[in-house]
């Protein structure tokens, strides 16, 4: 995973930031949003953040 890839340009939230939030306990888009601020601006990244959150959670379960 390219951790440096920016998912939310509004707050400069990267893939790594989202993965870290999940690593430290976030288990939903809402919590990821709270912890990273991704999606709190224009909202354009919402879909991407949701998808990434889902993927990360699934990977953690394995
Ligand atoms: S790109 Fe994430 S809130 Fe604007």
């Amino acid at each position: 995973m390219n951790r440096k890839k920016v998912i939310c340009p509004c707050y400069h939230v990267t893939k790594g930031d989202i993965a870290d939030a999940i690593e430290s306990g976030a288990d939903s888009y809402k919590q990821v949003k709270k912890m990273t601020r991704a999606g709190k601006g224009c909202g354009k990244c919402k879909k991407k953040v949701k998808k990434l959150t889902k993927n990360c959670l699934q990977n953690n379960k394995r």
Side-chain angles (χ1 to χ4, degrees), residues 7-8 11 13 18 21-22 25-57:
I7 302 296
C8 175
Y11 291 108
V13 182
I18 291 168
I22 287 159
D27 62 359
S28 65
Y29 164 69
K30 238 182 163 180
Q31 285 183 352
V32 168
K33 186 171 158 188
K34 217 170 158 187
M35 284 164 87
T36 64
R37 297 200 301 178
K40 278 199 170 177
C42 69
K44 267 189 196 158
C45 61
K46 209 169 157 179
K47 255 192 188 165
K48 272 194 264 176
V49 178
K50 273 191 177 171
K51 202 174 158 201
L52 191 61
T53 302
K54 213 173 140 194
N55 286 348
C56 283
L57 288 171

Side-chain angles (χ1 to χ4, degrees), residues 12-24:
H12 202 86
V13 182
T14 62
K15 262 191 176 179
D17 293 330
I18 291 168
D20 287 348
I22 287 159
E23 192 80 8
S24 35

